[in-house]
Amino acid sequence: MTSRWSGEWALEPPGGEPEVDVLIPSFGRPAELAVTLAGLAAQEAPAFRVILSDQTDGEAAFDQPAVRAMVRVLEAQGRPVRLERHFPRRGLAEHRSYLLGLAGAPSVLFLDNDVWLEPASLHRMTRALRAAGCGFVGSAVQGLSFLDDSRPQERSELVLWPDNEVRPERIRPGTEGFDRWPLHNAANLAHAAAELALPPGEWRLYRVAWVGGCVLFDRRALVDCGGFDFWDQLPPGHAGEDVAAQWRVMERYGGAGIIPSGAVHLEAPTTVVDRATDAAQEILDQ
């Protein structure tokens, strides 16, 4: 189902189940959250639902006028939106686990609340995930303030999956695949996409160390690998929980990045200030 245009906004919402559940763990940053939702409102396909869980102290971020307006736009387009307040705060792994437990669609997109998606990005990612049959496809976030800062040395690790056929692989610090992480610095993917000169609408999958901010999972694959069930083994102050989950999925089902990436990082200050524990090291190197 494509998005309903403005001439249909006042009609009864359509039925049917979504193909994708977009899961947004949110804390603070209401202005950035409004931009994130506006990016979702620009997606035409596939059918999706938004599940937004907010842990902002005091007034919820989704009670701010700009955020509420974008929620109303999504609902008018036929995109259901579920708003949750989830306390107490036990860290990002627990918050992601909570959101995953609310999802029921075949695919789940974990989307940070400071990422804008180019129109057609979700459709492109969904097609790629279906075609590759792997565990996840990620659109790495790009900082467009770095468009004039080309870093060819950091793009040297870019390796496309032949024929977009993704295979399982094991990534850990010290392995060859771990050295791919600089690919997602600055605006490296924008420069790499320009060098590939792909026609509009086409895409390629490439090998990653991990992908931050915007990752589309096959939900059953993620759940089969435990999701974020390790959250209770971590202190609230941690980072890298997304890496730990992706590495478990990659070992069994494979995972890839998609190029070009339509995900733009809003370059706002991080809200994850306590990074005392590296979740991937803690969980996978026990």
Side-chain angles (χ1 to χ4, degrees):
M1 184 193 74
T2 59
S3 173
R4 299 198 303 178
W5 77 297
S6 54
E8 301 172 307
W9 286 354
L11 300 178
E12 287 295 318
E17 295 298 318
E19 184 176 344
V20 179
D21 277 330
V22 179
L23 309 179
I24 306 176
S26 188
F27 174 77
R29 300 196 293 207
E32 290 82 359
L33 176 59
V35 173
T36 298
L37 296 178
L40 288 173
Q43 307 303 308
E44 286 292 323
F48 65 86
R49 171 176 59 167
V50 177
I51 306 178
L52 168 61
S53 176
D54 183 60
Q55 294 187 322
T56 303
D57 298 325
E59 184 180 17
F62 53 65
D63 284 333
Q64 295 297 315
V67 179
R68 278 289 179 185
M70 288 299 99
V71 168
R72 287 192 288 269
V73 168
L74 285 161
E75 292 176 333
Q77 291 177 329
R79 314 300 197 189
V81 180
R82 177 172 176 174
L83 302 176
E84 296 285 336
R85 292 278 272 163
H86 182 59
F87 291 104
R89 295 179 66 198
R90 301 186 182 94
L92 264 171
E94 191 276 339
H95 204 182
R96 293 185 189 278
S97 182
Y98 169 74
L99 278 164
L100 182 59
L102 299 179
S107 302
V108 293
L109 175 68
F110 273 99
L111 183 65
D112 285 359
N113 71 345
D114 61 344
V115 177
W116 177 85
L117 283 182
E118 174 192 32
S121 293
L122 185 57
H123 182 48
R124 192 161 62 234
M125 294 175 71
T126 305
R127 288 169 51 215
L129 183 65
R130 188 184 304 119
C134 59
F136 71 82
V137 167
S139 285
V141 297
Q142 306 161 94
L144 297 191
S145 67
F146 294 92
L147 279 179
D148 293 332
D149 180 9
S150 182
R151 305 179 182 185
Q153 72 280 5
E154 293 187 346
R155 300 196 296 277
S156 63
E157 295 292 332
L158 179 63
V159 177
L160 302 180
W161 283 104
D163 299 319
N164 294 318
E165 294 182 1
V166 180
R167 296 287 181 261
E169 55 182 336
R170 186 179 189 274
I171 305 293
R172 294 290 189 278
T175 65
E176 181 180 356
F178 186 83
D179 293 335
R180 304 169 192 153
W181 67 264
L183 284 171
H184 298 158
N185 285 347
N188 280 338
L189 282 189
H191 291 116
E195 291 164 354
L196 287 174
L198 297 175
E202 292 199 13
W203 47 269
R204 298 291 185 273
L205 298 179
Y206 65 96
R207 301 177 72 169
V208 297
W210 66 85
V211 184
C214 180
V215 182
L216 182 70
F217 289 92
D218 179 294
R219 184 177 62 85
R220 289 186 179 179
L222 179 58
V223 171
D224 187 44
C225 294
F228 298 87
D229 62 358
F230 50 78
W231 70 265
D232 57 357
Q233 302 173 49
L234 300 170
H238 64 259
E241 77 294 331
D242 51 346
V243 178
Q246 288 177 41
W247 283 355
R248 297 203 298 189
V249 172
M250 288 175 76
E251 286 189 42
R252 192 174 301 179
Y253 295 100
I258 189 170
I259 190 167
S261 169
V264 176
H265 187 231
L266 300 182
E267 302 186 57
T270 183
T271 57
V272 184
V273 295
D274 187 349
R275 297 169 175 263
T277 298
D278 183 324
Q281 180 178 354
E282 185 74 15
I283 297 304
L284 300 180
D285 291 342
Q286 297 184 45

